[in-house]
Amino acid sequence: MASAVADWGVKTRPAGSAAVAELEGVSKSYGQTRALSGVNLTVRAGELVALLGPNGAGKTTAVKLMLGLLPPDAGKVRVFGQDPTQPANRVRTGTMLQVGRAPETLRVREHIDLFSSYYPAPMPMDAVLAAAGLTGLEDRLFADLSGGQRQRVLFALAICGNPDLLFLDEPTAGLDVEARRMVWEQVRRLLGQGKSVLLTTHYLEEADALADRIVVIHKGGIIAEGTAEEIKARTTGRKMRFRSALTLADLQRMPGVTSVREDRDAFELTTAAPESVARELLLRDTTLSGLEITSAGLEEAFLSLTRKD
């Protein structure tokens, strides 16, 4: 698979600092609902920006604005320095939207042929099939594919035109672990060729593994931005996991506890004072067991940031 993808002859480009997509002071509302408010967001050449946020935070709206599918109410949207609706821009972008669909009566190969025809220098068919894990499925009707296979076809349609800028909105939703890792590998390969990617995902492991920069959006505004390590540093606490006879409500009321959730037969909580919380836990529950204390990760940082208000 690797040779089929690597040998299609596209000239690689080093990552640069030029902006390829920008939102500048952008606001967007749907009726009385404000989706974005004064947002500034930049995707630079050769980087992957992961846009994270709870459901309804404004992620998909930001993507659609950059694609020219929505006009802003205020502010400026630029892709390659121009209006994103310009045809010259659209042949340099690839898109995989969360709610993407494809005609069910076409075969996989026919879908890729059709989308490739929209671009001046598309990837060869064999390279696209290999990159999306579709080799051997090219003559299968879209209607006969599983959910994960359909998702891989949509990924193939996003990359088949050899775009300079790729929008991936929840690209691995519904994929198993192996298929998800395959998509990660292909995204890294595209980045190595100097492509730029804007990724939205609910898989924080995905953002941690792929992103050069993470942008956290909440209630229509950007609340944090930086590398994965910088975002994690915003949460100085530790993660504690244990089994306890205490209730979730008991744990939520304990001093020093930032967040807590149930995970199968155990609890996971974050705290900036693990020693004092551990002592309090042992005092309140002498049957407490399986106590583990680790550094907080991206998930804990994300929850801490988005639960502040």
Side-chain angles (χ1 to χ4, degrees):
M1 182 177 79
S3 61
V5 178
D7 293 342
W8 47 271
V10 174
K11 182 179 179 182
T12 60
R13 299 182 300 278
S17 59
V20 296
E22 297 175 278
L23 300 180
E24 184 179 317
V26 166
S27 296
K28 180 67 182 178
S29 296
Y30 302 100
Q32 298 299 312
T33 302
R34 177 63 64 91
L36 295 176
S37 181
V39 167
N40 295 298
L41 174 63
T42 301
V43 180
R44 301 192 179 278
E47 76 169 347
L48 187 148
V49 174
L51 185 60
L52 306 182
N55 289 333
K59 303 185 300 295
T60 298
T61 296
V63 171
K64 288 184 175 181
L65 285 162
M66 288 184 172
L67 288 170
L69 300 177
L70 294 173
D73 296 333
K76 295 180 180 179
V77 183
R78 289 185 291 267
V79 175
F80 301 112
Q82 302 176 35
D83 186 322
T85 62
Q86 292 295 317
N89 287 339
R90 289 190 164 167
V91 296
R92 297 181 64 187
T93 61
T95 308
M96 182 178 178
L97 291 178
Q98 186 178 355
V99 292
R101 295 183 179 89
E104 301 209 342
T105 55
L106 293 181
R107 301 184 187 277
V108 171
R109 181 186 298 276
E110 292 171 329
H111 277 299
I112 297 172
D113 272 334
L114 177 62
F115 269 69
S116 295
S117 70
Y118 301 149
Y119 295 87
M123 293 169 60
M125 175 66 70
D126 288 348
V128 178
L129 293 170
L134 293 169
T135 302
L137 298 175
E138 52 266 42
D139 294 320
R140 190 83 61 87
L141 287 174
F142 191 81
D144 295 336
L145 298 177
S146 68
Q149 289 168 339
R150 291 181 179 212
Q151 193 77 348
R152 281 185 267 160
V153 171
L154 298 178
F155 179 69
L157 301 184
I159 66 173
C160 69
N162 183 25
D164 294 315
L165 174 60
L166 188 61
F167 294 96
L168 299 176
D169 191 12
E170 303 288 347
T172 59
L175 296 184
D176 59 28
V177 173
E178 182 180 358
R180 189 176 303 147
R181 297 281 178 173
M182 180 208 66
V183 170
W184 293 8
E185 178 185 345
Q186 302 312 320
V187 169
R188 288 192 183 102
R189 191 167 277 135
L190 292 168
L191 292 168
Q193 295 160 1
K195 314 293 187 180
S196 304
V197 180
L198 179 63
L199 167 74
T200 74
T201 181
H202 280 99
Y203 296 111
L204 299 188
E205 178 192 6
E206 190 163 78
D208 204 352
L210 294 175
D212 299 296
R213 187 158 45 90
I214 292 173
V215 176
V216 182
I217 188 169
H218 186 42
K219 296 183 178 179
I222 291 174
I223 59 172
E225 182 174 355
T227 66
E229 292 305 315
E230 288 169 341
I231 297 296
K232 291 175 192 177
R234 297 284 295 268
T235 299
T236 57
R238 305 290 290 276
K239 180 167 68 174
M240 302 177 67
R241 180 181 173 87
F242 52 89
R243 290 184 293 277
S244 174
L246 296 171
T247 68
L248 183 65
D250 291 334
L251 297 169
Q252 289 171 332
R253 289 193 293 266
M254 283 182 58
V257 172
T258 304
S259 65
V260 60
R261 68 184 182 95
E262 294 182 84
D263 182 28
R264 300 185 295 277
D265 64 339
F267 291 103
E268 285 190 352
L269 65 77
T270 55
T271 175
E275 294 85 0
S276 63
V277 169
R279 285 193 294 269
E280 186 68 18
L281 284 170
L282 292 168
L283 284 172
R284 295 192 186 191
D285 181 9
T286 57
T287 67
L288 186 134
S289 63
L291 177 62
E292 300 175 2
I293 302 177
T294 58
S295 297
L298 186 58
E299 180 178 357
E300 289 74 34
F302 174 79
L303 291 174
S304 175
L305 287 165
T306 55
R307 286 177 176 173
K308 285 180 178 179
D309 55 353

